[in-house]
Amino acid sequence: MTFANKFAAGAGAIGLSLFAALPAWAQEAAAPVADAAAPAAFTPTADMVNKGDVAWMLVASALVLMMSVPALALFYGGLVRTKNMLSVLMQVLTIVCVAALVWFSWGYSMAFTSTGTPFPSLFGGLDKAFLSGVDVNTFAATFSNGVYLPEYVFVIFQMTFACITPALIVGAFAERVKFTPLIIFTVLWLTLAYFPIAHMVWYWAGPDFLHAAPTDMGLLWGWGALDFAGGTVVHINAGIAGLVGCLVIGPRLGYSSEPMPPHNLVMTMIGASLLWIGWFGFNAGSGLEANAFGALAFINTLVATAAAGVTWAVIEQIVHKKPSLLGGVSGVVAGLVAITPAAGFAHPGTAIILGAVASLGCFFFVTTVKKKLKYDDSLDVFGIHAVGGIIGAIGTGFVANPAWGGQGWIDYTAPVAKVGEFDLTGQVMTQIWAVGTTVLWTGVVSAVLFLALKYTIGLRPSADVEQQGLDLSEHGERAYNY
């Protein structure tokens, strides 16, 4: 049976199981609301908040924000031609601003609640829209029993992820997209793709609640998919959307027939370096606590990235006899992407292997597959983020294996969370299903949105405008005035 058939059969089975469960849900709804013998509901208190965790998570949030502005903006800006530099900076900056407001308005509620929605395993409702009910006296769960964060801290941290993910997409069709349709796409894509995927992968009741509510979780979390910091939610999600966008919009004028070198690799190097530093907040912060698992994610982020950068340079030395700076920073980003889902699960030794493998895979897609298939993924968003994310997400199933020094998985349905029995084959298959679900969901949503915008208000500027550059035509400014 092909993977597509397996996926369709699995999706059908899930639908049937949900339908079959309706009578049971009805019976539960009809049962008495309270049982005199039932234990009192668990209530987090301020005593369960550690100031060290709060301090670390606020610092981590600032680091992740730095990944968008200025890091990603500089990284992308240096890679485009001079006439489009300012447009890329403006696109990234505005997407971050818009995404933050959308997250406040309805994104947090859609991603991290399970009430007020007809499909609680797919996306949340609007009960916490505009942060309704969230204040300085509400709390968010961590991954430990009896350890909590102020809910505002969790809202802030996850907001920074929602800001950078759509900003990543623009690199796939840089230099040829109009500003207003891009911002409209961002709002719609966050709502229909990012928030549901984030909910499916990361939403759960928390370790003190899940044993009493074992079904209160997102779909992929319920499957047991492991994604420590966003291999599916951020990188595959953005990478696939970028590929769809570059295919719908089409290649740049002169693509493959005239040179389009990066205009400022020094700026790209600065952006890549800031990305690497910020990524420590991205990965180590995803443990939600200042503890040993944060340290594990930190060292894995360091060594996997180093291995990927070295691997790319070695490959270029062998193939081209000259290792390039552009290749070096590409390898670094590939390593950062790949270790993201595995950061809190892998041993540093297997993290190094994962980074090297991802670098090799991304190099092949960026230099060979793209050229053969002739799609214009301007800044290699698909080739690095989607491909690296897929390698990392599936690789997480291997490197999490306790027999290889990994951390396995935690059974949170127990009153006190405990280590679960690890099944290597089963975990890898679960990771593959999670990847497939993410690719299918964001691929369909992205295609519908891009096509709808293309055939209504239009996505692409005129040929004359594109030839002149987007800086002047879209924003009335130049990045450089000589």
Side-chain angles (χ1 to χ4, degrees), residues 200-242:
M200 283 187 261
V201 174
W202 284 335
Y203 173 74
W204 65 307
D208 294 307
F209 298 93
L210 198 60
H211 68 280
T215 61
D216 189 11
M217 62 186 73
L219 181 67
L220 273 63
W221 180 284
W223 289 352
L226 302 176
D227 187 351
F228 193 77
T232 51
V233 181
V234 177
H235 298 294
I236 299 175
N237 210 2
I240 295 299

Side-chain angles (χ1 to χ4, degrees), residues 201-202 225-236 279 282-283 286 297 300-301 334-346 354 385 388-397 399-400 431 435:
V201 174
W202 284 335
L226 302 176
D227 187 351
F228 193 77
T232 51
V233 181
V234 177
H235 298 294
I236 299 175
W279 224 290
F282 196 90
N283 284 356
S286 290
N300 284 339
T301 302
L336 289 166
V337 169
I339 196 56
T340 292
F345 300 113
L354 183 59
H385 290 276
I390 290 169
I391 292 171
I394 296 174
T396 299
V399 300
Q431 299 300 113
V435 167

Side-chain angles (χ1 to χ4, degrees), residues 6 46 59 93 108 126 158 163 209 216 228 234 242 261 272 274 283 287 316 365 378 410 436 439 446 461 482:
K6 288 181 181 178
V59 170
L93 176 65
Y108 176 67
L126 299 177
Q158 288 293 341
C163 289
F209 298 93
D216 189 11
F228 193 77
V234 177
L274 290 173
N283 284 356
E316 286 197 327
F365 269 83
S378 306
I410 305 297
V439 169
S446 302
Y482 300 108

Side-chain angles (χ1 to χ4, degrees), residues 258-425:
E258 62 183 63
M260 297 180 179
H263 89 280
N264 193 328
L265 281 176
V266 173
M267 198 169 293
T268 295
M269 172 61 186
I270 294 170
S273 303
L274 290 173
L275 279 172
W276 194 348
I277 295 168
W279 224 290
F280 291 120
F282 196 90
N283 284 356
S286 290
L288 304 181
E289 300 173 57
N291 60 16
F293 292 98
L296 177 66
F298 198 109
I299 190 172
N300 284 339
T301 302
L302 186 53
V303 298
T305 305
V310 169
T311 299
W312 199 296
V314 169
I315 294 171
E316 286 197 327
Q317 179 68 55
I318 295 171
V319 176
H320 304 302
K321 309 304 180 186
K322 293 179 181 179
S324 67
L325 176 61
L326 178 58
V329 296
S330 298
V332 162
V333 175
L336 289 166
V337 169
I339 196 56
T340 292
F345 300 113
H347 181 277
T350 55
I352 289 172
I353 296 171
L354 183 59
V357 171
S359 188
L360 178 61
C362 292
F363 178 87
F364 176 68
F365 269 83
V366 166
T367 61
T368 303
V369 174
K370 183 171 75 168
K371 186 179 297 184
K372 185 174 288 287
L373 298 182
K374 294 183 170 61
Y375 59 88
D376 184 13
D377 178 7
S378 306
L379 310 183
D380 295 312
V381 176
F382 172 73
I384 291 179
H385 290 276
V387 173
I390 290 169
I391 292 171
I394 296 174
T396 299
F398 291 98
V399 300
N401 186 359
W404 300 343
Q407 300 303 311
W409 64 280
I410 305 297
D411 180 6
Y412 292 104
T413 60
V416 177
K418 62 182 182 180
V419 177
E421 184 177 347
F422 192 85
D423 174 9
L424 178 59
T425 301

Side-chain angles (χ1 to χ4, degrees), residues 180-201:
T180 299
L182 175 63
I183 302 307
I184 294 172
F185 169 83
T186 296
V187 174
L188 296 174
W189 185 85
L190 281 168
T191 304
L192 300 176
Y194 182 81
F195 302 150
I197 293 294
H199 179 86
M200 283 187 261
V201 174

